Amino acid sequence: MGPTACGKSDAAIALAKKFPLEIISVDSTMVYRGLNIGSAKPSAAILSTIPHHLIDIRDPKQPYSAADFCQDATETIDKIRRQGQMPLLVGGTMLYFKALQQGLSALPPANPQVRQAIVEEAEKAGWPALHDKLTVIDPKSAQRIHQNDCKRLQRALEVYEITGETLSSLQHQQKKPSEDYIFVNIALIPDNRAVLRQKIAQRFDHMLDNGFIDEARALYQRGDLNTDLPAIRSVGYRQLWYYFKGTLTFDEMREQAIIASCQLAKRQLTWLRSWENLHIFNSQDENLVEKLCHFLHTQTKNYGGA
């Protein structure tokens, strides 16, 4: 685990070359086909040589939830273990990690900033318009909630904005944690946050130089995708959507995407600060892979692995 742009994928690939590991992606953007450059998806060459799972399994039109991930991940973990390999879960979607290990959580607490943004949107467009928006996102909840019931509308939209999942889905999900596995939690956390911010900016510029705009434009021109979908709400794609619409200039798009990436990294680090039984490594350590290898050797001996 770790914040965006900290080098999780590179470290995982290096480990997979030294241990009998298969990588399970824990990334809410890599699951979508066509979202390659903006999600920092491993190259085709790497995917053909290092086994990866839960990448390119959904069309961007089809939302993917934490419940979907738990089902897919447990099936994949069992398959890998039956083949005599060890699963290595790698990514930065902390909600997925939490759901898999601790069970699907209850509804999130209120978020004043998100609530205020919803109220401001309602003041401009009206609550019936937000009800129409909820109908697209969560038709089951929209059917139960009257278009003038602003309090319940606000909560349903708030839950989706915070979690990326619908209120109706969360209310019906099982909350039993998996008891079949022993999880060893490893976090790659940078000692120097300023260097991480620079790396985030450099990585986004690298994406732009390597075809990110063309990739996102192809998705935009499909005509059936929008920023209410989790895939297009992803950092980078959302800002490019507004750039294509003419809402943002190129410079504004770039700046907002970098800021959003830094905010994402901050949220990921906040999750990790409260994570129990976490083995922390400095992601900027020149000897990171060597130290991770030593650590994994120790762990496989402790748990009787290969």
Side-chain angles (χ1 to χ4, degrees), residues 19-22 76-87 300 304-306:
F19 291 85
L21 300 170
E22 294 193 17
T76 305
I77 288 170
D78 292 341
K79 179 181 177 181
I80 292 171
R81 294 172 76 193
R82 286 195 300 269
Q83 294 173 345
Q85 301 286 90
M86 289 292 289
T300 52

Side-chain angles (χ1 to χ4, degrees), residues 268-296:
Q268 290 166 322
L269 290 168
T270 298
W271 275 88
L272 290 170
R273 276 199 293 269
S274 61
W275 210 276
E276 296 182 358
N277 301 318
L278 191 64
H279 302 276
I280 298 175
F281 291 81
N282 174 18
S283 63
Q284 296 161 347
D285 190 333
E286 293 182 356
N287 300 312
L288 173 63
V289 173
E290 179 183 341
K291 292 179 179 179
L292 287 171
C293 285
H294 176 74
F295 175 77
L296 289 187

Side-chain angles (χ1 to χ4, degrees), residues 18 36 69 78 115 134 136 139 156 168 197 205-206 213 215 223 225 262 272 306:
K18 298 175 182 293
N36 303 325
F69 171 78
D78 292 341
R115 289 196 164 191
L134 182 64
V136 174
S168 59
R197 289 192 291 271
D205 286 337
H206 179 75
I213 292 177
E215 173 181 287
L225 304 176
C262 291
L272 290 170

Side-chain angles (χ1 to χ4, degrees), residues 225-245:
L225 304 176
N226 58 70
T227 53
D228 286 331
L229 293 167
I232 309 305
R233 291 172 68 239
S234 303
V235 172
Y237 292 95
R238 183 170 189 159
Q239 288 75 24
L240 275 168
W241 226 254
Y242 295 134
Y243 170 60
F244 298 144
K245 288 183 176 181

